[in-house]
DNA sequence: CCCATTTGACCGTC
DNA sequence: GACGGTCAAATGGG
């Protein structure tokens, strides 16, 4: 996979994702008319879980098809998307509503801290939809393993939820102009639209960011998928997750994102870090994902759970074995 | 002390 | 002038 092009990887990711979900569905026993609550088998999925999986399968294949159908030109796009991470970890942004266009690549604004809006407009832009569901966890390609820094939040006219703005942590040090916007969907609060703009010119994967003196302690990149599924499973079983009408307290804590395409080599574990949130106006609790290099998709979860607690291995992991 | 986040102010575009 | 996007000072956590 190392030498795959960006879009090949994305495509493969989508297919793997869909296949995985399909396998789960396949593995689960056919639904009995009177579903017993027995959770003896992890493969015994609730109807809700199946719906989620189904949705996942469908959307993965849709994404894959879109990629194949995409308007982008792979060759130029390749040039437009320097794999700063040297192919180690794919940049996950996968175009759903739009494909990265081959655009002029910024001439590495050695001076232009104030990137002109015209240039900004020319940056490639694509949107990814990220879905969070309490029982399933993250769905879909949702996270890049880049490090983002939030630089703003705005209430958007007509939108229920504010939009958050992120830029690459290495904007100043490496003149990396990648940005992303995250906005919760009005219609389906479990869906977040992540709009990426620009591509990373930084080299985050290979390099330990010099900004961070140390990579954060307990954050091996490997602690990802189980951590998330267990977390989210635990949320499902123990917490009230409200996905709309959020008011009052919400938490913001980064977790380690699972690159969904590398689900096989992943362990559980991880810790929460409550990074506080006291947005006086509305809310904006975030579960942002974070790795040694960080990143930050957003979820709004209103719950009462000690975010500083370590994830216990005993958490339910209904996806665990099949991943 | 360094870095990330928050949030009001500012700016460009429509 | 409204709106979206960004800046930057203030703040807080580690």
């Amino acid at each position: 996979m190392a030498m795959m092009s960006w879009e090949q990887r994305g495509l493969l990711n989508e297919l793997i994702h869909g296949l995985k979900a399909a396998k789960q569905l396949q593995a689960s026993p056919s639904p009995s008319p009177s579903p017993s609550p027995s959770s003896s088998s992890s493969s015994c999925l609730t109807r809700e879980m199946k719906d989620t999986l189904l949705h996942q399968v469908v959307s993965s294949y849709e994404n894959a098809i879109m990629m194949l159908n995409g308007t982008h030109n792979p060759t130029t796009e390749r040039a437009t998307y320097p794999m700063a991470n040297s192919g180690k970890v794919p940049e996950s942004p996968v175009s759903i509503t739009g494909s990265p266009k081959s655009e002029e690549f910024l001439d590495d604004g050695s001076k232009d801290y104030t990137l002109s809006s015209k240039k900004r407009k020319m940056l490639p832009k694509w949107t990814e939809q990220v879905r969070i569901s309490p029982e399933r966890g993250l769905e879909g390609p949702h996270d890049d393993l880049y490090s983002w820094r939030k630089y703003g939040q705005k209430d958007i006219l007509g939108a229920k939820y504010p939009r958050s703005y992120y830029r690459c942590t290495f904007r100043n040090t490496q003149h990396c102009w990648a940005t992303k916007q995250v906005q919760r969907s009005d219609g389906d609060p479990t869906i977040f639209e992540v709009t990426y703009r620009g591509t990373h010119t930084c080299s985050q994967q290979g390099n330990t960011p010099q900004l961070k003196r140390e990579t954060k302690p307990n954050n091996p990149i490997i602690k990802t998928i189980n951590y998330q599924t267990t977390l989210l499973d635990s949320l499902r079983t123990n917490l009230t997750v409200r996905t709309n009408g959020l008011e009052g307290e919400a938490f913001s804590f980064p977790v380690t994102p699972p690159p969904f395409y590398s689900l096989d080599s992943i362990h559980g574990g991880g810790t929460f870090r409550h990074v506080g949130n006291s947005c006086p106006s509305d809310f904006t609790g975030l579960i942002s994902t974070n790795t040694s290099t960080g990143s930050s998709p957003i979820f709004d979860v209103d719950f009462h759970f000690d975010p500083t607690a370590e994830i216990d291995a005993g958490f339910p992991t209904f996806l665990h074995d099949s991943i």
Side-chain angles (χ1 to χ4, degrees):
Chain A
M1 169 115 94
M3 299 312 285
M4 273 181 156
S5 71
W6 184 88
E7 60 278 7
Q8 279 177 313
R9 263 177 264 177
L11 188 57
L12 183 60
N13 292 343
E14 285 298 338
L15 292 172
I16 289 173
H17 202 212
L19 179 63
K20 204 155 54 68
K23 278 185 175 174
Q24 276 184 256
L25 277 172
Q26 190 181 35
S28 72
S30 56
S32 61
S34 56
S36 91
S38 96
S39 56
S40 55
S41 163
S42 63
S43 63
C44 194
L45 304 180
T46 67
R47 176 181 177 81
E48 199 180 356
M49 291 170 181
K50 287 190 175 182
D51 286 347
T52 306
L53 285 172
L54 210 53
H55 172 92
Q56 186 180 339
V57 173
V58 171
S59 65
S60 286
Y61 280 103
E62 279 176 355
N63 290 345
I65 289 168
M66 278 190 190
M67 287 180 200
L68 284 171
N69 251 350
T71 57
H72 55 272
N73 174 345
T75 38
T76 52
E77 183 180 293
R78 187 72 190 91
T80 315
Y81 286 79
M83 290 305 290
N85 55 15
S86 65
K88 204 168 163 188
V89 183
E91 190 181 7
S92 80
V94 173
S95 171
I96 290 178
T97 61
S99 303
K101 305 279 190 299
S102 54
E103 298 278 6
E104 157 193 295
F105 205 62
L106 284 176
D107 48 352
D108 189 27
S110 46
K111 58 153 175 66
D112 55 352
Y113 183 74
T114 54
L115 191 63
S116 81
S117 58
K118 267 188 182 173
K119 274 192 175 180
R120 234 172 241 142
K121 271 187 185 172
M122 295 180 71
L123 289 171
K125 178 181 167 183
W126 67 99
T127 301
E128 178 178 335
Q129 294 195 339
V130 179
R131 186 160 188 268
I132 175 86
S133 70
E135 63 281 328
R136 175 57 184 86
L138 299 174
E139 288 185 18
H142 76 287
D143 198 15
D144 44 77
L145 293 175
Y146 285 99
S147 181
W148 301 96
R149 170 182 291 191
K150 187 174 183 177
Y151 66 86
Q153 176 173 308
K154 268 291 214 193
D155 285 323
I156 300 302
L157 196 74
K160 274 189 211 166
Y161 307 102
R163 178 178 298 166
S164 298
Y165 300 88
Y166 297 85
R167 67 182 176 213
C168 179
T169 302
F170 307 98
R171 161 167 279 199
N172 295 329
T173 56
Q174 297 185 32
H175 305 296
C176 178
W177 296 99
T179 63
K180 73 174 177 181
Q181 303 175 359
V182 181
Q183 176 146 31
R184 189 176 197 162
S185 164
D186 277 350
D188 184 350
T190 64
I191 291 181
F192 291 81
E193 290 188 4
V194 183
T195 300
Y196 293 88
R197 188 169 296 171
T199 54
H200 286 274
T201 57
C202 57
S203 49
Q204 297 190 24
Q205 294 304 320
N207 298 344
T208 308
Q210 66 240 60
L211 291 177
K212 301 171 183 174
R213 305 167 182 202
E214 293 295 331
T215 50
K216 289 174 184 150
N218 42 30
N219 61 352
I221 231 171
I222 312 185
K223 308 178 173 179
T224 51
I225 188 69
N226 286 352
Y227 166 63
Q228 275 201 336
T229 53
T230 54
L231 161 62
L232 287 154
D233 254 359
S234 76
L235 293 182
R236 172 171 60 89
T237 52
N238 303 324
L239 308 167
T240 305
V241 177
R242 287 207 311 255
T243 52
N244 55 6
L246 279 180
E247 277 165 16
E249 73 262 86
F251 283 115
S252 169
F253 53 92
V255 297
T256 308
F260 70 91
Y261 39 76
S262 59
L263 303 169
D264 41 328
S265 61
I266 288 170
H267 311 57
T271 51
F272 284 112
R273 184 168 63 93
H274 180 203
V275 293
N277 163 42
S278 56
C279 195
S281 53
D282 202 3
F283 80 97
T284 299
L286 316 171
I287 299 176
S288 58
T289 58
N290 213 342
T291 63
S292 53
T293 55
S295 86
S296 57
I298 297 192
F299 313 88
D300 296 298
V301 182
D302 180 311
F303 61 171
H304 306 287
F305 177 74
D306 180 5
T308 62
E310 297 245 349
I311 298 297
D312 190 297
F315 275 124
T317 59
F318 99 94
L319 282 178
H320 205 165
D321 42 14
S322 52
I323 283 173

